[in-house]
Amino acid sequence: MQQQQQQQQQQAGKGNQKRPAADVEANRFAGAPLEGFIGQIYALCKDQHGCRYLQKKLEEQNEKYLTIIFGEVFGHFVELMTDPFGNYLCQKLLEYCGDEQRTVIVETVAPELVNISLNMHGTRAVQKMIEFLSTPQQIAIVVVALNPSVVTLIKDLNGNHVIQKCLNRLASEDNQFIYNAISAHCVEVATHRHGCCVLQRCIDHASVSQKIQLVREITYNALTLVQDPFGNYVVQYVLDLADSRFTDSLIRRFIGNVCALSVQKFSSNVMEKCIRVAEPDTRKFLIEEMINKTRLDKLLRDSYANYVVQTSLDFADPIQRTQLVECIRPLLPAIRNTPYGKRIQSKLHRDQMSSMNQLNHHLNGMGGMGAMNGMGMNGLNMQGMNGMGMSMGMNMGMGTMNGMNGMSMPNNLAMNNMTMNMGGMNGMNGLHSNSNNNNNNNNNNNGGNQANSNLNNSSSSSNMAHMSNMASMNMGPNMANMNGMNGNMMGNMNNMNGNMMGFGFPGMNHFGNVGMIGMNDYNPYGYM
């Protein structure tokens, strides 16, 4: 125990010895006039405390101090820009010196500017120099110095920051040399760890013509880039621009290669994004390549491509989605036990349940239909309902039914106990009933023109035309004000296909849109 305490005391003593030495070195410059260090300034630049002392003197913005420091330093600027301490003084000097002095510095370091930019310390000094370039002459010198080595700098850990500083600080026309170099070496730059980041920044800072220049090269090399660990990010970046001038032509480069690209790690991500952002016509071409059982079997079994298939299911139009599902269902048993097979099966199941729930919701909602205005039942085409007995106990309060034109009833349609209290039916033109229609209890037309209320013609069709001003037409028991359309439809209703408010019922096509406030403008719908 005593030995440990002694060791701690010894270590503390050593620490205390070091601190005074450092403090003495720092205090050596405290309050010291700069004139006392004339002839030693270059050496002070490479010393930690001396460099800090000189920086503070420059911050005083004393013209005399600036002249003294500049006079002893500018000849060693190349060396100092790469020095661990001296680079900080160079940065400070570039910030506070005048235009003439800065021009001298730029001219001095220009021949070595690329090498300085590649240095971990020098890159910071060069970035500071670019930040404070103040004349066209200085800019031109830097551009000429960097131009031959743009690609080398872009691919370097330190040098790429110099190029990015140019993009941030210089005008687009001054940066044209960067765009020219990247366009000439697009694949080399885009497939590099640092190059792909610089290329994205180039797109950010580009003028319209420069952006077109870059995107044209990216599009031309898209198939190569999309399969690269870094190049695929460049392609995705262009897609994220959401500019149809660029994205559509880029996506079309992948047509004919969708399946091959979907099974690769990097390009599969791009294929998913293409399907999401593509124009509808272009998306059809992409998905069309997958609508093939043999191809889908391979895609569904692939750990990358199955995500592309899932995305296709989400973004395909209804027709192509149905085609995809029809191809996928027979293949599900073979992949059911795989993780991605379970995901796809679950996805199809959720979609199916969602559609059924939505259908039930709409059907249940038809139970309480109050005043129905604008119920657009256009062209209800019920095929194959001849000889079907329908016992309908419907309490329908139907008020203000204007313009029910062209209702044709099918053969052998027995409609019993249909109670309707219809007030104010104006212009019910062309009610056609074909042979063998048995409509019972449809009489007692109050307050209107009784227009062929008995439709029991077993051999020929009768035409009930121009039924106007039918007020309070009571068919059977009282059916007033159309509140609570309780659709109790008893019977054997098979073969009813079609689309009732957007849902498929066998035999019912085009039930149109339902507006539940009054029933105006019933356009022709034919019961065949």
Side-chain angles (χ1 to χ4, degrees):
M1 189 70 180
Q2 293 179 352
Q3 291 179 351
Q4 291 179 353
Q5 292 177 352
Q6 290 176 356
Q7 290 177 354
Q8 291 176 356
Q9 291 176 357
Q10 290 175 357
Q11 291 176 356
K14 291 179 181 179
N16 292 332
Q17 291 176 359
K18 291 180 180 178
R19 288 196 196 96
D23 292 340
V24 170
E25 183 67 19
N27 292 333
R28 182 166 74 93
F29 300 101
L34 182 63
E35 293 82 357
F37 297 101
I38 293 177
Q40 306 175 39
I41 292 178
Y42 165 66
L44 293 179
C45 290
K46 303 174 74 173
D47 176 76
Q48 180 180 3
H49 301 288
C51 182
R52 289 180 180 175
Y53 168 74
L54 294 175
Q55 290 179 63
K56 290 180 180 179
K57 289 300 180 182
L58 290 173
E59 290 172 354
E60 294 178 12
Q61 299 188 36
N62 185 308
E63 187 66 28
K64 180 181 178 182
Y65 294 163
L66 178 61
T67 303
I68 293 173
I69 295 173
F70 180 81
E72 294 196 27
V73 165
F74 86 91
H76 305 280
F77 225 81
V78 172
E79 178 188 355
L80 292 176
M81 287 179 80
T82 58
D83 185 79
F85 302 117
N87 78 89
Y88 294 106
L89 179 69
C90 293
Q91 293 181 51
K92 192 69 69 173
L93 192 58
L94 286 164
E95 181 178 351
Y96 287 104
C97 67
D99 288 343
E100 293 183 2
Q101 294 169 322
R102 192 176 293 112
T103 301
V104 172
I105 294 173
V106 172
E107 291 176 340
T108 301
V109 302
E112 296 296 326
L113 195 59
V114 172
N115 291 330
I116 297 171
S117 300
L118 299 175
N119 181 268
M120 62 181 298
H121 304 297
T123 183
R124 298 179 181 276
V126 175
Q127 292 174 58
K128 181 68 71 172
M129 184 175 67
I130 293 170
E131 184 176 348
F132 286 97
L133 293 175
S134 54
T135 67
Q137 180 185 2
Q138 296 169 12
I139 294 172
I141 295 171
V142 171
V143 168
V144 170
L146 297 179
N147 186 36
S149 304
V150 171
V151 176
T152 301
L153 292 169
I154 287 175
K155 295 167 63 177
D156 184 73
L157 175 64
N158 302 307
N160 79 88
H161 296 291
V162 172
I163 298 299
Q164 292 191 55
K165 180 61 72 172
C166 290
L167 294 171
N168 286 324
R169 301 296 299 184
L170 302 184
S172 58
E173 57 270 19
D174 294 324
N175 284 324
Q176 185 60 45
F177 74 103
I178 298 175
Y179 291 91
N180 292 341
I182 292 178
S183 297
H185 303 86
C186 180
V187 174
E188 182 181 356
V189 172
T191 57
H192 190 271
R193 179 185 300 274
H194 305 305
C196 70
C197 297
V198 175
L199 207 161
Q200 292 174 53
R201 299 293 78 75
C202 286
I203 294 174
D204 291 339
H205 296 283
S207 65
V208 174
S209 61
Q210 289 169 341
K211 187 175 293 186
I212 293 173
Q213 179 184 1
L214 284 184
V215 173
R216 184 188 297 117
E217 292 300 322
I218 293 169
T219 302
Y220 180 78
N221 296 285
L223 281 174
T224 301
L225 298 180
V226 79
Q227 301 175 65
D228 184 78
F230 305 111
N232 80 90
Y233 292 111
V234 175
V235 175
Q236 292 189 58
Y237 199 78
V238 175
L239 295 175
D240 289 336
L241 294 176
D243 189 334
S244 59
R245 295 176 302 170
F246 306 134
T247 56
D248 193 57
S249 59
L250 177 60
I251 294 172
R252 285 179 177 270
R253 291 286 293 174
F254 306 129
I255 294 176
N257 298 279
V258 174
C259 294
L261 296 174
S262 296
V263 298
Q264 297 184 45
K265 179 178 181 180
F266 306 112
S267 54
S268 64
N269 294 324
V270 183
M271 289 301 99
E272 286 188 69
K273 180 164 288 189
C274 287
I275 292 170
R276 291 191 191 100
V277 306
E279 297 291 324
D281 291 340
T282 305
R283 184 185 294 119
K284 287 182 180 179
F285 286 118
L286 300 178
I287 296 177
E288 183 67 30
E289 294 185 35
M290 291 183 278
I291 303 178
N292 177 287
K293 288 186 178 180
T294 303
R295 292 176 182 173
L296 265 178
D297 187 30
K298 295 179 180 179
L299 296 177
L300 290 172
R301 295 173 183 273
D302 187 80
S303 57
Y304 302 119
N306 77 91
Y307 290 103
V308 180
V309 176
Q310 293 182 54
T311 302
S312 299
L313 288 170
D314 290 334
F315 289 89
D317 62 37
I319 295 175
Q320 282 195 320
R321 191 182 190 282
T322 301
Q323 293 173 339
L324 274 174
V325 172
E326 289 175 353
C327 289
I328 291 173
R329 287 198 187 281
L331 302 173
L332 282 178
I335 62 170
R336 184 169 295 166
N337 294 326
T338 63
Y340 34 92
K342 292 177 181 178
R343 282 195 294 268
I344 293 175
Q345 186 176 21
S346 175
K347 184 179 189 64
L348 295 179
H349 179 70
R350 286 196 307 269
D351 292 346
Q352 185 178 15
M353 293 301 297
S354 176
S355 297
M356 293 177 65
N357 291 335
Q358 195 171 2
L359 173 60
N360 290 334
H361 174 74
H362 281 279
L363 290 178
N364 292 334
M366 294 183 67
M369 292 163 55
M372 295 170 56
N373 261 336
M375 181 173 178
M377 299 154 100
N378 299 324
L380 180 73
N381 187 6
M382 299 175 69
Q383 304 278 345
M385 292 180 63
N386 295 326
M388 180 174 74
M390 296 175 60
S391 178
M392 307 169 69
M394 301 193 299
N395 295 320
M396 301 168 58
M398 303 172 70
T400 317
M401 295 175 60
N402 298 322
M404 275 182 81
N405 299 320
M407 294 178 60
S408 69
M409 295 185 175
N411 297 328
N412 303 317
L413 175 63
M415 301 176 65
N416 299 320
N417 301 323
M418 178 174 179
T419 64
M420 302 172 63
N421 184 1
M422 306 170 68
M425 294 178 61
N426 297 323
M428 184 171 178
N429 299 322
L431 178 63
H432 301 285
S433 69
N434 296 327
S435 61
N436 299 319
N437 291 318
N438 298 316
N439 295 279
N440 300 323
N441 297 325
N442 296 331
N443 48 22
N444 191 16
N445 177 14
N446 298 323
N449 296 323
Q450 183 173 359
N452 297 325
S453 61
N454 187 2
L455 300 175
N456 296 319
N457 187 349
S458 62
S459 60
S460 62
S461 63
S462 64
N463 185 1
M464 298 179 63
H466 306 293
M467 292 180 66
S468 61
N469 299 321
M470 293 181 64
S472 186
M473 176 177 178
N474 188 357
M475 295 183 173
N478 183 25
M479 212 181 136
N481 203 20
M482 203 171 179
N483 291 322
M485 181 175 179
N486 299 319
N488 184 11
M489 306 175 75
M490 312 283 297
N492 191 4
M493 301 178 68
N494 296 323
N495 299 324
M496 295 178 64
N497 285 322
N499 193 344
M500 181 172 180
M501 291 185 294
F503 294 92
F505 273 135
M508 296 182 65
N509 297 320
H510 310 298
F511 199 90
N513 298 319
V514 178
M516 299 185 178
I517 313 176
M519 295 177 68
N520 293 325
D521 298 329
Y522 272 66
N523 290 325
Y525 66 100
Y527 290 80
M528 304 186 48

